[in-house]
Amino acid sequence: LDAVTLAAPPGAILGLLGANGAGKTTLLHCVAGLRTPTAGRALVLGRDARDRAAILAGELAWVSEATRLPAAASIDALVRWVAPLHRRWDAALARDLAGRLALPMTRATRTLSRGEAMKAALLLALAARPRVLVMDEPFNGVDALSRDELARAVLAAAADDGTTVLVAAHDIMELETMVDHVAILAGGRLRAAGPVEAVKARYRKVTVTGERAA
């Protein structure tokens, strides 16, 4: 990353776009406190991201394409294990999400499809009612139906709880229907950022036609 300055308004769903290697994961790792910047700092809820308080208090949740759930456990068992770790855990919301996402709660996670595993990870994150949700390429390898279900669950969390969401993808089509703010990275630098409509207004597609030379 090179001199990236970016802010996500409270309650925004900010889509972080860029090709593979653009710096999206590095930026999200800094926000989530998983990596220490060599210069500058990342603030989450007014605190330095290296302060683990936001994570320990359940105020920040992390969902990634690299998320691997314990293979032998069922989703139900994971819910029972995770719930006591979060001071704002919402058991009713967990049950609601399990129904809305059509999750097989009694199956071992090793038997889940890619889409089911990502939905289970999202349930564990959202039921904690985090104030900030960070998602790194959560739709990779997920079928279109599961992707829509994941997006609806994130949108509901943002609407109901005012959760601020940072979600990274390299395909703009994955995020187009769910984000209200966008940031575009290329080569580790921030190229554009702001509300979706404002960023769109900066660009135009120009088509030039002419007669073929004789």
Side-chain angles (χ1 to χ4, degrees):
L1 297 174
D2 183 9
V4 172
T5 298
L6 177 66
I13 302 181
L14 189 151
L16 192 60
L17 298 170
N20 291 332
K24 303 184 303 297
T25 295
T26 299
L27 179 56
L28 294 185
H29 278 176
C30 290
V31 171
L34 301 175
R35 187 174 297 187
T36 300
T38 52
R41 60 180 181 161
L43 297 177
V44 178
L45 303 173
R47 294 192 293 263
D48 192 299
R50 293 171 298 179
D51 178 356
R52 308 298 287 176
I55 295 176
L56 295 176
E59 294 179 331
L60 185 145
W62 168 267
V63 175
S64 166
E65 64 169 338
T67 297
R68 296 294 179 266
L69 303 173
S74 67
I75 304 174
D76 261 336
L78 287 177
V79 167
R80 291 194 299 271
W81 182 76
V82 167
L85 304 177
H86 298 283
R87 64 180 65 175
R88 288 192 305 277
W89 182 266
D90 190 329
L93 177 58
R95 290 192 296 270
D96 179 62
L97 287 169
R100 278 195 283 155
L101 297 174
L103 279 168
M105 299 298 287
T106 59
R107 276 172 46 195
T109 61
R110 65 173 174 268
T111 69
L112 300 179
S113 68
R114 169 70 178 165
E116 289 170 333
M118 290 310 302
K119 287 190 283 188
L122 188 63
L123 180 154
L124 296 172
L126 291 181
R129 292 199 176 276
R131 294 175 61 192
V132 176
L133 172 63
V134 181
M135 306 175 72
D136 186 22
E137 300 280 5
F139 305 124
N140 272 3
V142 175
D143 63 85
L145 180 59
S146 294
R147 186 165 61 242
D148 288 344
E149 291 171 342
L150 289 168
R152 284 196 294 270
V154 172
L155 287 168
D160 295 343
D161 294 336
T163 301
T164 301
V165 181
L166 277 69
V167 53
H170 62 270
D171 185 353
I172 192 170
M173 298 297 291
E174 293 180 347
L175 302 182
E176 191 171 19
T177 61
M178 65 180 291
V179 301
D180 47 38
H181 285 66
V182 66
I184 301 172
L185 282 174
R189 297 184 67 88
L190 186 65
R191 305 300 179 176
V196 170
E197 294 307 317
V199 173
K200 281 183 176 181
R202 294 174 54 183
Y203 299 92
R204 293 289 185 273
K205 180 179 180 179
V206 178
T207 303
V208 178
T209 59
E211 294 182 1
R212 181 177 298 178

